[in-house]
Amino acid sequence: MKVLILGAGKMGSFFIDLLSFDHEVGVFEKDPKRLRFTYNCQRFTDLEEVKAFKPELCINAVTVKYTISAFNEVIPYLPQECILSDIASVKTGLHDYYKSTGRRFVSTHPMFGPTFANLNQLSEENAIIINEGDYMGRCFFKDLYSKLGLNIYEYSFEEHDKTVAYSLSIPFVSTFVFSAVMKHQDAPGTTFKRHLRIAKGVLNEDDYLLQEVLFNPYTHDQVDQIRTELKELLAIIDNKDAAGMKAYLSKIRSNVKRDVEALK
């Protein structure tokens, strides 16, 4: 299959490397410097080159802020039968956009990134395929993600956004709060150092991505739940309530154990 990838950033380069040995891959990137480390693919900086390439699948891997604008720019140069695809972690507005184009589309979310994941060992990572997309497009990504050993889930756009609100907004907000109150530690403990590494990774993400995850319409209730839990925990601390603390620790250990078993 002829596959066009938009953007030669971290995830774009990952997909180039992943697909280039089994498919004819081209990459469109406006910044020529980013193309220096792309191999085994055709490199385009002009949209007329994209038109001549005639891709069958276009994977949009640009920063989430520019997903729709990148599509708008390239669509006039794509064959009508070319399947549009995104890997965005935030799907807000994409379903309506795809419908407005009248084109075939497939939307997926590989729920890992170069910051934390070992891209050579992804068997513990997950991917979501939106079940409202083109059948052949879904099959393509299901086969691709299966070969990587990813755990695959099929959700609607709405179900995806609800899942992201839980799986991303809670750790993001927890990291923000940790970062907001932290101060320099001359002799930090192991737990502190681990949290600090996570904070550095999260805060290395694109500002717009962090914003859009938190502006997800389903995020508010998740963050409000954190506030409720903090209020309960603060009351236990203020009252030095040993029995309450024991019950609270039992509750959260049960929550962690349940999720760990669910992930096995």
Side-chain angles (χ1 to χ4, degrees), residues 84-101:
L84 303 180
S85 174
D86 76 273
I87 56 170
S89 52
V90 179
K91 305 293 186 186
T92 306
L94 276 173
H95 192 198
D96 289 337
Y97 175 78
Y98 281 132
K99 289 192 293 185
S100 74
T101 67

Side-chain angles (χ1 to χ4, degrees), residues 119-172:
L119 298 181
N120 295 314
Q121 178 53 262
L122 296 172
S123 60
E124 295 184 359
E125 304 293 345
N126 304 313
I128 293 174
I129 297 176
I130 303 300
N131 58 22
E132 298 168 75
D134 179 80
Y135 174 75
M136 294 305 296
R138 298 200 317 269
C139 288
F140 176 89
F141 280 99
K142 191 169 186 177
D143 179 64
L144 179 66
Y145 292 155
S146 294
K147 289 179 179 177
L148 290 174
L150 293 168
N151 301 298
I152 302 170
Y153 300 87
E154 295 194 46
Y155 295 149
S156 66
F157 277 101
E158 183 179 12
E159 288 168 337
H160 169 272
D161 287 350
K162 288 180 178 178
T163 299
V164 167
Y166 172 75
S167 65
L168 292 185
S169 66
I170 289 179
F172 279 13

Side-chain angles (χ1 to χ4, degrees), residues 54-231:
K54 297 181 180 179
E56 300 164 83
L57 173 68
C58 174
I59 301 176
N60 191 333
V62 304
T63 304
V64 65
K65 181 178 182 179
Y66 301 108
T67 299
I68 290 178
S69 60
F71 272 141
N72 285 335
E73 189 172 7
V74 77
I75 280 177
Y77 298 87
L78 300 178
Q80 184 61 39
E81 63 275 12
C82 179
I83 302 173
L84 303 180
S85 174
D86 76 273
I87 56 170
S89 52
V90 179
K91 305 293 186 186
T92 306
L94 276 173
H95 192 198
D96 289 337
Y97 175 78
Y98 281 132
K99 289 192 293 185
S100 74
T101 67
R103 287 174 172 262
R104 300 163 66 194
F105 71 88
V106 57
S107 184
T108 76
H109 178 186
M111 297 185 71
F112 58 87
T115 300
F116 294 117
N118 177 358
L119 298 181
N120 295 314
Q121 178 53 262
L122 296 172
S123 60
E124 295 184 359
E125 304 293 345
N126 304 313
I128 293 174
I129 297 176
I130 303 300
N131 58 22
E132 298 168 75
D134 179 80
Y135 174 75
M136 294 305 296
R138 298 200 317 269
C139 288
F140 176 89
F141 280 99
K142 191 169 186 177
D143 179 64
L144 179 66
Y145 292 155
S146 294
K147 289 179 179 177
L148 290 174
L150 293 168
N151 301 298
I152 302 170
Y153 300 87
E154 295 194 46
Y155 295 149
S156 66
F157 277 101
E158 183 179 12
E159 288 168 337
H160 169 272
D161 287 350
K162 288 180 178 178
T163 299
V164 167
Y166 172 75
S167 65
L168 292 185
S169 66
I170 289 179
F172 279 13
V173 168
S174 300
T175 298
F176 289 178
V177 172
F178 167 80
S179 303
V181 302
M182 68 175 289
K183 59 182 180 180
H184 175 70
Q185 298 285 316
D186 288 327
T190 301
T191 302
F192 183 91
K193 287 189 286 187
R194 287 177 178 173
H195 277 274
L196 182 58
R197 282 196 295 269
I198 291 173
K200 287 179 178 178
V202 169
L203 295 174
N204 193 45
E205 296 285 0
D206 177 74
D207 286 0
Y208 188 82
L209 170 62
L210 297 174
Q211 170 188 298
E212 290 305 292
V213 167
L214 296 186
F215 288 178
N216 181 325
Y218 300 102
T219 292
H220 175 273
D221 289 349
Q222 300 295 339
V223 177
D224 192 54
Q225 188 176 344
I226 293 175
R227 180 168 57 183
T228 299
E229 291 296 323
L230 285 173
K231 185 177 180 180

Side-chain angles (χ1 to χ4, degrees), residues 29-79:
E29 171 59 64
K30 291 183 177 180
D31 182 358
K33 291 181 181 179
R34 284 193 166 191
L35 294 173
R36 287 179 299 176
F37 305 107
T38 55
Y39 304 99
N40 202 31
C41 65
Q42 296 187 49
R43 298 179 285 185
F44 309 134
T45 56
D46 189 301
L47 288 169
E48 288 296 334
E49 296 173 299
V50 170
K51 186 176 183 180
F53 182 60
K54 297 181 180 179
E56 300 164 83
L57 173 68
C58 174
I59 301 176
N60 191 333
V62 304
T63 304
V64 65
K65 181 178 182 179
Y66 301 108
T67 299
I68 290 178
S69 60
F71 272 141
N72 285 335
E73 189 172 7
V74 77
I75 280 177
Y77 298 87
L78 300 178

